[in-house]
Amino acid sequence: MSKFAKFMKANKVVKENEKYAATNSLCDESGKPLLWEFRHISSKENEELRESCMKEVQVTGKPGIYRQKFKSSDYIKKMIAASVVYPDLYDAELQDSYGVQTPEDLLLALVDDPGEYSELMSYVQKFQGFDISFSDKVDEAKN
């Protein structure tokens, strides 16, 4: 028996998908908000999302010198979109019905109430294992 037997993949707990009503503006026949399904993303997926939100910006007054800037709002959008299983934000017919071309733009079109979007951000961050929301961390860093 391996000294790392307890760390083997067979012992890893599978994180189940969850359902959450992301908006009150999309309801079923009885008026109940539609439930969306969310999945956990892996640490690798999260790193790829974070990296895709890093931009090179020129340092003012220093030609040829650049620094990295993290676009947190893009990261949150991409993390939520990557987490959504249902509805399929990549579905062309659904995107066309809202006149958008990306999953992130469709997300913002479906959840167009700022308060609901803020609640969705908090829900997904907690669901993905972030106990303190990223927005709170940004606010804390600013102070």
Side-chain angles (χ1 to χ4, degrees), residues 81 87-107 109-110:
D88 181 0
L89 300 180
Y90 292 85
D91 184 78
E93 182 181 9
L94 189 54
Q95 289 178 359
D96 289 347
S97 78
Y98 283 89
V100 298
Q101 296 181 351
T102 67
E104 294 82 14
D105 287 343
L106 179 56
L107 172 67
L110 289 166

Side-chain angles (χ1 to χ4, degrees), residues 21-138:
T23 180
N24 291 322
S25 61
L26 295 167
C27 300
D28 63 14
E29 303 78 30
S30 64
K32 282 182 63 177
L34 297 174
L35 294 178
W36 295 31
E37 185 176 352
F38 294 86
R39 70 176 184 89
H40 279 276
I41 59 173
S42 68
S43 295
K44 183 178 179 181
E45 287 175 285
N46 186 58
E47 278 304 304
E48 290 168 356
L49 291 172
R50 288 183 61 78
E51 298 243 345
S52 73
C53 296
M54 297 297 284
K55 306 295 179 203
E56 293 278 328
V57 293
Q58 186 171 357
V59 175
T60 306
K62 297 187 178 186
I65 308 258
Y66 294 85
R67 66 176 177 82
Q68 298 247 321
K69 179 179 181 183
F70 180 64
K71 301 208 48 169
S72 60
S73 61
D74 288 350
Y75 167 68
I76 296 293
K77 263 190 301 196
K78 288 182 179 207
M79 181 175 61
I80 295 170
S83 302
V84 174
V85 174
Y86 182 82
D88 181 0
L89 300 180
Y90 292 85
D91 184 78
E93 182 181 9
L94 189 54
Q95 289 178 359
D96 289 347
S97 78
Y98 283 89
V100 298
Q101 296 181 351
T102 67
E104 294 82 14
D105 287 343
L106 179 56
L107 172 67
L108 292 176
L110 289 166
V111 186
D112 61 352
D113 180 273
E116 288 179 339
Y117 185 72
S118 180
E119 288 177 23
L120 177 60
M121 286 190 304
S122 294
Y123 166 77
V124 170
Q125 288 173 42
K126 286 178 185 163
F127 178 68
Q128 295 300 349
F130 297 102
D131 293 325
I132 299 173
S133 76
F134 189 78
S135 310
D136 292 340
K137 288 182 181 180
V138 169

